[in-house]
Amino acid sequence: MEQRVLSKREFLRCSLFGACGLIVGSNGFDEMIRLLGDKGAAGVSPEDLWRWSKEALFYVKTPRGLKCLKCPNTCVLEEGQTGQCRNRVNYKGKMYSIAYGNPCAVHIDPIEKKPFFHFLPTTRAFSIATAGCNLACLNCQNWDISQMSPRETENYDLMPARVVEECAQRGCESIAYTYSEPTTFFEYTYDTAKLARTRNIRSVLKSNGFINEEPLRMLCKVLDAANIDLKSFDDDAYIRLAGGRLAPILRTLEVLHEEHVWLEVTNLVVPSWTDNLEVIRKMCEWLVSKGLRDYPIHFTRFVPQYKLTHLPLTPVATLEKAREVALKAGMRYPYLGNVPGHWAEHTFCHQCGKMIIERRGYQILTNHLADGRCKFCQELIPGVWSA
Amino acid sequence: MKDNSPSSTTMLALDVPHWKFLLAVVALGVTCIITQIIILRESLAVFYGNELVIGIILGNWMILTGIGAYVGRFTQRLRVRTDLVVAGLLLLAILPILTALLLRVMKNVAFPVGSMIGIVEILYGSFLLLIPYCLVSGGAFTLLADVVSEKRGENMITSVYAWEAIGSVIGGLSFSFAAVYFLTTFEALLLLALFDLVVAAVFTISHGRGGARFAVAFVFLCILVLSLLVDLDRSSRQSLFIDQEIVYDKDTPYGSLVVTTQADQLNFYENSTLLCSTNDVTTSEEAVHYAMIQHPNPRSVLLISGAISGSVQEILKYDVDRIDYVEFNPWLIELARKYISVLSDDRVHIAAQDARLFVRQSSQHYDVALVNVSEPSTAQLNRYYTVEFFNELRSKLNPGAVVSLGLLPATDYQGEAARRVNSVTFNTLQSIFQNVLIVPGLKTYYLASDSTLSLAIARMIEGRGLQNTYVNPYYIDDRILDQRAQLMEETIDEEAGVNTDFAPASYHQYLTYWLSLFRSDYWVLMIVCLIALLVAALNVNLISVGMFTGGFAASSVEILLLIAFQIIYGYVYQIVGIIVTLFMAGLALGALWSRRLIPLPQIRHYIVIQIVIGVCCALLPLWFLLLREALPHPVVVQGVFFLLTVAIAGVIGIEFSLAARLRGGWIAAVASELYSIDLMGSAIGALLVSAYFIPVFGIFNVSLLVGALSVFSGTLLYMRRKNFVPSGAEAK
C-alpha cells in the first residue's frame, strides 16, 4: 500500500485546523469566548477550602451530587462545583459556604437609604455584603459584587462577632445585610444576626426575596426588618429581567408577615419593563389581599445601570400614578424613591390624611407621632418607631 | 497574453463597452464606502460607541467582503456575466437599506429591551447582519476585475482596484462633506440605491436582456414607492425607543441625537445611550456643586459639555460673571438652546469647538472648570483625560481654581477594572495639581486644585445658603461621604501610571472595564485574531503575505494618522473626513502610477516597496513628535498630515499593483485572492491596532510595530526570493 507522506507544513496546518475544529465543535464558539474570558467559575480546588468557609445549611445528598435547598435555583453540585450564586461549593461530599466572615463592602448608611421609612428612622445601619447573588438582574446597581464570587473580590476579615463589635463601637442601631444578596451568604447573616440580638442590635435585610420557605423561617427568628425587592408582578418580566421567578418572592412576603418581621417593599419602576400600571394595580391588590397593606411600598425611580443603559429614567409622573394606584388599591403607605425633594417622601396618616412625618432625605424635619400614634387622630401608625 | 483563463470556454459577455464596466466599478466603490460609513455609524448608535465595536464591525466587514471576493472567482464559470453585473448592482441598491433597517429594528427584538449588547453578541450579530451585503460587494469586485480584464485582454486588476478606490473617494467626499449634513440615514441610502439603479439601467439600456430591464424598472419603482409612502428613518428609529415618542431625531457627523418624550419627561440620547432626562436634579447638581462650592467666590466658569443636563442653571446659582460653554457637537448646542432657556443668559458664551482646541486658543482664565465629557471609551475622548490636557487647562486657570471630572458610577464596591480606571484618572490629575479629592456621589467625581479641597460639602452648601434639592445636608452626610471617600482613596494604585495623549492608559482601562460588564476577557478577541492569522499564514504564498502586511499597514497607518491628528491638532470632523478621503486617493494614485513607475515588475521591486512601507511607518513617531513640540501654525499641521497620508497610502497602492502584476494566473483567482488578503490584513489591522495595540502600547510603539511587520515580510521575501518563479503574468 502506498504511504502518503505529509510535509511538515501540511502536518502543522492539518493539526491546527483539527485543533480549531475540535475546540469550536465541542464548545461552540461563544462558549469558547466565555470560557476563556469568564472569571465567574471560581471553582474550589480540593486543596484550598479557605478559612472563610462554613458547612452550609439546607442541602441534601443526591446521586447526581449535592442539592442546595436554600433558594429556588436548587443547584445540584458535583465535586468542586460552585452554585449559581457563587457562594456555595461542593467540597469532599459536603456543601460549604465560602462567603462567611469575608464581606467586600462595609459601610455605614442612613437606614432610610435601604429604604426603611417606618423602622427606626434617622438611625444608622452598619451595612455589610459579601460577593454573590442568586439572580442576574440586567440593571444591577452593585453588579461588581453581585455577579462575582468572593474569591474574586478583595474582602475584609470580619467574622460575626467582630461585625457586632464594630457596629456597637460605631454607635449604629442596626446591622444591615445588603448591597448584594444576603440570603446567599445565609450562614454568615444568620450567625451575625443571632449574635447581634444578644447585644440588642437589630438586624435588617435588604433582599431580592428569592429564598425557600424553610431557610427563610429560620432567618426570621433572628431578623427584625426586611426590605424585599418586588421587581414586578409579572413572572415573564422576572425571568427576562432578573433570571428569577415571581412566586417564591410572593411567598417570602407572606412568610415575613407571618413571622412578624417588619416588612417594607421596594418596586423599582423600570420603563418598558415594570411600569405597566395595570400590573402595579394587580400587585397592590394582591398585597392588600394578603394583609400587607400596612407595610410601606417604595416606588423607586429607575436610573440606567449595568447592562440596562438604553432606557430613560422613570418619569416622575409615572411614579406618582403608581402611588395613586397603590392608594386606590388600599395600600396605606406608598412612597416615591430616588426623587429627591418630592413630597411623596413624607408620611401621611392613613386615617386622617395629615402629614405626620415631614421627611427630607435622611432627616426628619417635623414629627407628629406620639407613642407610635398620629397626634391628630390617635390612629396607630404601623412601624417600629423606636429601639 | 498567455491565455490560461477558463473564460475562453464560456460564452463571451455581450459586447458592452468597456467604460460601462468601469462605471460599475466606480459605482461599487461609491456604494461600498457610503454603506460602510452609514452602517458603522448606525452600529455605533445601536450598540455602543467605542473603538472595539468599530474594530469588530470593520473586521467583520472586511472578512466577509474577503470571503465574497474569494467566492467571486467562481463567477468565471458562469455565462451571461453582464446579467450578473446588473444583478449585483440591483442587490447593491437594495441590501444597504435592508441591512440598516434590520440593524435598528432587530435590536430590541433579538435582545432585551433597552439593554447594552455584549461584545460576543455584537460579534455574532454584526457578522450575520453583514453577510448579504458584504458577500455581494466582495464578489462584485472579483467579477468586475475578471470581466474588465477579459474585455481588455490583459490583467486589469490594478486598474479596477484603483477605479474602485476612486469611487470610494467620490463617495466618501460627497457623503462626509455634503450628504451627512442634509440627509438622514435612509435618505442617503435611498439616493445611493437610485444611483446604483441608474448605473444598472445604463447597462441594460442598449445591451441588456428583457428580464434584466424589467428587474431594474421593478426595483426602481419599489424604491420610489417606499420612499414616498414610509418615513423609514422615523419608523425604524422608533423601534429603538419603545414606549417613548420621538420629538427630535438627527444623524449628526458626531453620532445620532434623539430626544424622546415619555409622560412629563424629556430624554436626550446620543447613540442610543441616555445623556440625561429632565427632572434629574441629582445629576445636574452633583456635576456642578461639588466643585463650585470649593471656591470662595467663583466668577468665571468653563463648562465642557453637559449643558443639556441642566448644569448651567446650577452654575447660575452662584454669583458668576461668565460661563464659557464648549461643545464640539453643534447639534447638541442647538438642542441645548432649544430646551434650556438659561443659555440665552448674557453671561453664557457658547463655543462649538473641540475643547482641547478651545482651551489652547482661549485668552480667558477660569475659577472653575467642569469637565462633563463622556467616558474615555474612544481614543478621541481619551484626550480629555490626559496629562497634556490638564496641563493646558491649568495654564488657563486662576489661582485657587478647581477642576471637576465625573467618571464611573460610585458603587458600594469597586471591582478591579473600576479601580484601575479610578487609579489612572487620580494619578493623572495628581501629576498636575497639588490636591486631588475623590467625591463618591452617585457618580465618582474627582476634584483637583492647587488650593485645599474639602469634603464638608453639605456644611459648605448650607453655609453659603444655596437652595439645592439634592446636594444639601438632608441627602448628603459629610461624615459618611468622608468615610466612603477614604475607602476609595485606599484603593488607588499609584503604580497604575498616568494617561497621556500618545499612551492612552485611561482608554485602555476603560475598555477593560466595559468588557468586564459582560465578563469578557480583554484578550480573548485578540487571541482569536492571532489564531486566524496563523491559519492564514500557513496557507498563502509570499506575494500574498506581503499583501496581507500591506493591508494591515494601510488600516493601521490610517488609524494612527487619524488619532495623532486629533491629539496634536484637535477633533474636527471635516478634516478627519479629508484624511480618510486622501488615504483612499493615495491608494488609487499609487496603484495607477505604479505601471508608469515600474513598467516591468520584479520580485526585488516588491521587496523594496515593503521595506519602504516599513520605514515610513517607523518614522511616523518622529513626525508626530516634531509637530507636537514645534506646534507650527495649524495650516502647517494640517498640510503635513495631508502629505503624510497621501505619501504612505500611495506607497501601499504601488504595493498592491506590484502584487497583482507579479502574481499571475487566472485573473479572477488573483483578484479574489489579493483583494481578500488585503481586506483580511486591513480587518485584523483595524481591530488589533485600535482596540489592543494603541491602548496597551501607545501610538509610538504601534507605529514601530507596524513598520517592523512590513520590514519582516520584506525580509522574508528577500530570503526566499530564489524560490519565486514568475507564473506567466503579462508584461505590462
Side-chain angles (χ1 to χ4, degrees):
Chain A
M1 192 167 63
E2 220 181 70
Q3 269 188 327
R4 188 167 170 258
V5 178
L6 280 178
S7 72
K8 193 157 62 172
R9 172 183 281 246
E10 278 177 274
F11 172 74
L12 280 171
R13 191 168 66 206
C14 288
S15 311
L16 202 56
F17 272 119
C20 286
L22 269 172
I23 292 170
V24 172
S26 61
N27 285 322
F29 185 65
D30 60 339
E31 204 44 48
M32 180 175 83
I33 300 268
R34 284 189 222 284
L35 225 62
L36 287 171
D38 194 354
K39 298 185 172 90
V44 172
S45 77
E47 286 75 38
D48 62 355
L49 192 67
W50 59 6
R51 83 182 216 87
W52 299 282
S53 318
K54 189 176 185 187
E55 188 180 349
L57 302 167
F58 305 107
Y59 72 94
V60 71
K61 283 188 188 175
T62 79
R64 292 183 205 273
L66 300 181
K67 184 171 180 176
C68 179
L69 301 172
K70 190 190 53 61
C71 87
N73 282 335
T74 49
C75 302
V76 179
L77 308 180
E78 291 176 6
E79 177 64 36
Q81 275 189 334
T82 314
Q84 284 188 50
C85 66
R86 292 168 287 279
N87 280 0
R88 279 162 140 61
V89 65
N90 178 341
Y91 174 67
K92 289 189 178 168
K94 284 190 178 172
M95 188 167 291
Y96 287 87
S97 165
I98 54 168
Y100 191 92
N102 55 352
C104 58
V106 179
H107 298 290
I108 294 173
D109 288 329
I111 196 121
E112 283 84 0
K113 200 176 168 198
K114 301 297 151 188
F116 284 103
F117 277 14
H118 287 212
F119 186 86
L120 303 182
T122 72
T123 61
R124 298 188 310 157
F126 186 79
S127 307
I128 59 171
T130 72
C133 181
N134 51 4
L135 292 181
C137 303
L138 291 174
N139 58 319
C140 184
Q141 187 183 347
N142 273 314
W143 65 271
D144 237 346
I145 315 177
S146 69
Q147 303 307 303
M148 298 283 166
S149 155
R151 287 194 177 275
E152 297 171 281
T153 50
E154 274 187 35
N155 307 320
Y156 298 91
D157 183 6
L158 216 61
M159 289 292 170
R162 265 202 70 204
V163 174
V164 176
E165 195 51 48
E166 291 285 332
C167 176
Q169 273 183 21
R170 289 164 206 274
C172 297
E173 286 83 353
S174 59
I175 298 171
Y177 311 86
T178 174
Y179 303 139
S180 54
E181 177 45 49
T183 59
T184 61
F185 49 97
F186 182 90
E187 292 75 12
Y188 184 37
T189 302
Y190 179 81
D191 288 352
T192 309
K194 197 167 168 197
L195 267 175
R197 277 261 157 113
T198 63
R199 296 281 293 269
N200 248 345
I201 292 173
R202 309 289 184 115
S203 284
V204 306
L205 197 78
K206 171 66 183 174
S207 165
N208 60 25
F210 199 58
I211 181 173
N212 287 332
E213 189 167 331
E214 201 188 332
L216 176 62
R217 285 194 188 273
M218 179 181 171
L219 192 57
C220 284
K221 302 289 185 278
V222 293
L223 212 56
D224 298 286
N227 183 305
I228 303 296
D229 275 310
L230 183 50
K231 297 177 194 290
S232 174
F233 207 63
D234 174 9
D235 193 45
D236 183 58
Y238 248 104
I239 295 169
R240 290 184 299 113
L241 182 63
R245 303 302 299 262
L246 172 63
I249 286 112
L250 295 181
R251 186 68 199 130
T252 294
L253 296 175
E254 289 175 305
V255 169
L256 285 165
H257 176 58
E258 285 167 23
E259 295 284 342
H260 308 293
V261 173
W262 178 254
L263 172 62
E264 300 202 17
V265 175
T266 298
N267 179 239
L268 184 70
V269 183
V270 184
S272 302
W273 283 92
T274 62
D275 60 346
N276 185 313
L277 290 172
E278 189 50 33
V279 173
I280 290 174
R281 182 184 64 75
K282 286 190 183 140
M283 174 178 78
C284 294
E285 284 173 356
W286 182 90
L287 288 167
V288 170
S289 71
K290 297 294 176 183
L292 306 179
R293 68 176 180 176
D294 283 339
Y295 297 118
I297 180 164
H298 302 266
F299 293 106
T300 309
R301 193 180 198 189
F302 164 79
V303 173
Q305 294 275 6
Y306 189 28
K307 293 181 186 174
L308 226 51
T309 53
H310 292 191
L311 288 175
L313 271 65
T314 320
V316 177
T318 306
L319 295 171
E320 288 169 349
K321 283 200 190 114
R323 185 179 177 275
E324 277 166 32
V325 162
L327 281 170
K328 248 192 194 160
M331 293 300 290
R332 287 178 162 177
Y333 293 97
Y335 294 99
L336 260 53
N338 276 354
V339 189
H342 198 279
W343 53 265
E345 279 186 322
H346 308 319
T347 302
F348 298 89
C349 174
H350 66 267
Q351 185 67 23
C352 66
K354 291 208 169 72
M355 182 169 69
I356 45 177
I357 297 177
E358 186 186 359
R359 187 180 285 104
R360 238 187 117 186
Y362 309 127
Q363 293 192 23
I364 288 180
L365 302 181
T366 52
N367 187 347
H368 297 294
L369 274 181
D371 293 326
R373 290 182 180 276
C374 168
K375 268 187 191 160
F376 303 106
C377 68
Q378 306 311 311
E379 180 69 13
L380 190 67
I381 307 300
V384 177
W385 301 107
S386 58
Chain B
M1 177 186 97
K2 198 199 289 191
D3 186 358
N4 52 8
S5 150
S7 61
S8 56
T9 62
T10 65
M11 191 172 84
L12 279 174
L14 289 168
D15 193 20
V16 180
H18 169 65
W19 66 267
K20 287 195 179 183
F21 286 104
L22 280 183
L23 180 64
V25 172
V26 170
L28 178 67
V30 169
T31 311
C32 280
I33 192 72
I34 293 180
T35 307
Q36 187 179 93
I37 293 173
I38 288 179
I39 296 295
L40 196 61
R41 282 153 49 86
E42 286 296 317
S43 302
L44 295 178
V46 168
F47 297 130
Y48 189 73
N50 68 23
E51 247 82 331
L52 205 54
V53 173
I54 294 173
I56 285 172
I57 304 290
L58 278 180
N60 276 341
W61 184 286
M62 294 184 198
I63 287 168
L64 283 167
T65 309
I67 293 172
Y70 184 84
V71 164
R73 66 175 63 191
F74 300 111
T75 60
Q76 258 186 353
R77 301 170 202 280
L78 296 173
R79 298 164 173 246
V80 287
R81 292 196 291 166
T82 311
D83 280 356
L84 214 56
V85 170
V86 173
L89 284 166
L90 290 179
L91 285 172
L92 286 176
I94 307 167
L95 287 173
I97 299 172
L98 274 174
T99 308
L101 260 177
L102 278 173
L103 180 58
R104 286 192 188 178
V105 167
M106 290 307 291
K107 194 247 180 187
N108 279 331
V109 170
F111 302 104
V113 171
S115 63
M116 188 165 52
I117 317 295
I119 200 74
V120 173
E121 286 85 359
I122 293 176
L123 187 67
Y124 277 165
S126 60
F127 190 85
L128 284 173
L129 198 68
L130 293 174
I131 283 175
Y133 179 82
C134 291
L135 289 182
V136 167
S137 72
F141 175 84
T142 308
L143 170 68
L144 284 167
D146 193 34
V147 167
V148 170
S149 300
E150 183 189 82
K151 278 227 64 81
R152 285 283 295 261
E154 55 180 325
N155 182 340
M156 293 294 290
I157 298 171
T158 304
S159 290
V160 171
Y161 182 79
W163 282 102
E164 203 233 352
I166 287 169
S168 299
V169 168
I170 295 170
L173 273 174
S174 52
F175 185 81
S176 304
F177 295 100
V180 79
Y181 295 102
F182 308 112
L183 299 176
T184 63
T185 291
F186 284 96
E187 281 169 357
L189 289 176
L190 283 166
L191 209 59
L192 192 63
L194 287 173
F195 169 69
D196 287 322
L197 286 170
V198 164
V199 174
V202 161
F203 254 83
T204 58
I205 274 175
S206 5
H207 302 95
R209 301 194 296 176
R213 284 190 204 131
F214 174 76
V216 171
F218 179 72
V219 172
F220 178 81
L221 267 171
C222 285
I223 286 183
L224 201 65
V225 165
L226 194 69
S227 57
L228 289 171
L229 285 181
V230 184
D231 183 350
L232 283 173
D233 281 285
R234 185 53 69 94
S235 50
S236 61
R237 185 86 82 194
Q238 189 64 62
S239 56
L240 290 169
F241 298 97
I242 292 174
D243 298 328
Q244 301 164 64
E245 191 197 325
I246 296 179
V247 295
Y248 176 94
D249 176 10
K250 179 96 181 121
D251 288 313
T252 80
Y254 309 95
S256 77
L257 283 180
V258 176
V259 181
T260 68
T261 178
Q262 190 179 36
D264 60 343
Q265 181 174 286
L266 284 173
N267 308 303
F268 299 85
Y269 295 90
E270 188 176 36
N271 286 340
S272 299
T273 303
L274 186 73
L275 278 177
C276 66
S277 294
T278 48
N279 297 335
D280 183 13
V281 287
T282 316
T283 305
S284 49
E285 287 188 7
E286 281 201 329
V288 169
H289 294 289
Y290 291 157
M292 294 285 290
I293 202 64
Q294 305 287 338
H295 196 286
N297 187 21
R299 311 299 299 198
S300 169
V301 178
L302 172 64
L303 177 66
I304 301 177
S305 279
I308 207 93
S309 57
S311 301
V312 174
Q313 287 99 303
E314 298 304 322
I315 297 171
L316 287 173
K317 284 180 181 173
Y318 298 80
D319 194 14
V320 295
D321 295 327
R322 184 187 177 103
I323 302 173
D324 278 343
Y325 166 47
V326 186
E327 179 70 70
F328 76 73
N329 186 342
W331 284 271
L332 253 180
I333 294 176
E334 178 191 300
L335 272 185
R337 274 198 229 261
K338 187 173 174 182
Y339 292 103
I340 313 285
S341 57
V342 291
L343 278 189
S344 54
D345 190 298
D346 287 337
R347 293 168 284 179
V348 181
H349 304 260
I350 303 175
Q353 200 180 16
D354 173 36
R356 290 284 298 257
L357 260 178
F358 178 86
V359 167
R360 264 182 228 144
Q361 293 168 355
S362 172
S363 54
Q364 283 295 323
H365 281 67
Y366 303 99
D367 297 314
V368 179
L370 305 172
V371 184
N372 282 343
V373 294
S374 304
E375 312 86 11
S377 56
T378 64
Q380 201 271 104
L381 285 166
N382 182 77
R383 299 174 310 125
Y384 303 110
Y385 292 85
T386 63
V387 166
E388 291 89 345
F389 172 59
F390 293 132
N391 225 358
E392 287 162 7
L393 189 58
R394 189 161 177 269
S395 68
K396 300 295 162 80
L397 295 177
N398 290 323
V402 181
V403 174
S404 160
L405 185 68
L407 202 47
L408 302 178
T411 51
D412 297 295
Y413 172 84
Q414 282 75 45
E416 202 187 315
R419 286 178 195 205
R420 278 192 244 115
V421 173
N422 289 335
S423 297
V424 171
T425 311
F426 187 91
N427 293 342
T428 308
L429 283 166
Q430 186 86 284
S431 70
I432 301 292
F433 296 96
Q434 280 182 26
N435 299 304
V436 181
L437 195 66
I438 296 180
V439 184
L442 291 177
K443 221 174 165 181
T444 305
Y445 285 90
Y446 301 83
L447 304 180
S449 177
D450 288 335
S451 294
T452 50
L453 296 165
S454 167
L455 272 171
I457 286 172
R459 185 171 57 76
M460 291 194 287
I461 293 282
E462 194 178 34
R464 208 75 82 93
L466 286 159
Q467 300 304 310
N468 291 339
T469 309
Y470 176 73
V471 179
N472 58 43
Y474 304 110
Y475 290 90
I476 309 257
D477 183 326
D478 286 341
R479 285 171 306 166
I480 292 178
L481 195 67
D482 188 50
Q483 280 163 14
R484 282 185 177 253
Q486 270 186 40
L487 282 172
M488 275 199 73
E489 283 196 27
E490 281 165 20
T491 67
I492 297 295
D493 176 16
E494 285 172 8
E495 308 295 313
V498 296
N499 183 38
T500 67
D501 282 335
F502 286 105
S506 283
Y507 166 46
H508 173 212
Q509 297 304 342
Y510 189 81
L511 268 185
T512 313
Y513 167 79
W514 181 72
L515 282 169
S516 72
L517 293 176
F518 312 104
R519 302 183 71 75
S520 298
D521 193 87
Y522 186 51
W523 297 105
V524 167
L525 260 176
M526 181 164 128
I527 293 170
V528 168
C529 283
L530 289 177
I531 291 177
L533 249 168
L534 211 60
V535 167
L538 292 177
N539 213 8
V540 297
N541 66 65
L542 287 169
I543 300 290
S544 301
V545 165
M547 209 53 247
F548 182 90
T549 58
F552 187 96
S555 60
S556 308
V557 165
E558 193 174 349
I559 291 167
L560 285 167
L561 285 169
L562 282 170
I563 294 176
F565 180 78
Q566 289 171 56
I567 288 170
I568 293 169
Y569 183 79
Y571 182 85
V572 183
Y573 172 77
Q574 291 85 347
I575 298 186
V576 164
I578 291 178
I579 291 180
V580 171
T581 308
L582 281 175
F583 200 90
M584 302 303 296
L587 285 176
L589 280 171
L592 282 171
W593 191 49
S594 109
R595 294 172 85 100
R596 202 170 298 178
L597 186 68
I598 307 170
L600 292 166
Q602 291 175 33
I603 197 66
R604 60 186 171 85
H605 295 125
Y606 194 60
I607 293 168
V608 164
I609 208 75
Q610 283 181 63
I611 309 261
V612 166
I613 291 173
V615 168
C616 285
C617 291
L619 283 177
L620 277 175
L622 278 176
W623 283 105
F624 297 155
L625 271 171
L626 193 70
L627 286 168
R628 191 180 69 171
E629 296 312 312
L631 268 183
H633 193 276
V635 173
V636 175
V637 174
Q638 291 172 37
V640 169
F641 265 94
F642 295 163
L643 278 170
L644 275 174
T645 306
V646 176
I648 295 187
V651 177
I652 294 172
I654 294 174
E655 183 190 19
F656 184 86
S657 166
L658 285 175
R661 290 187 284 147
L662 284 170
R663 187 71 176 82
W666 297 350
I667 301 301
V670 171
S672 82
E673 186 181 309
L674 290 177
Y675 195 57
S676 43
I677 290 289
D678 175 41
L679 285 168
M680 291 284 278
S682 301
I684 291 181
L687 178 61
L688 289 185
V689 164
S690 59
Y692 289 94
F693 295 159
I694 287 181
V696 175
F697 300 123
I699 303 250
F700 294 159
N701 290 331
V702 172
S703 306
L704 295 173
L705 182 75
V706 172
L709 198 68
S710 262
V711 170
F712 172 73
S713 80
T715 312
L716 204 68
L717 199 57
Y718 178 76
M719 287 176 358
R720 308 268 298 271
R721 67 192 183 283
K722 294 201 170 57
N723 296 349
F724 179 75
V725 175
S727 48
E730 35 61 284
K732 282 195 186 160

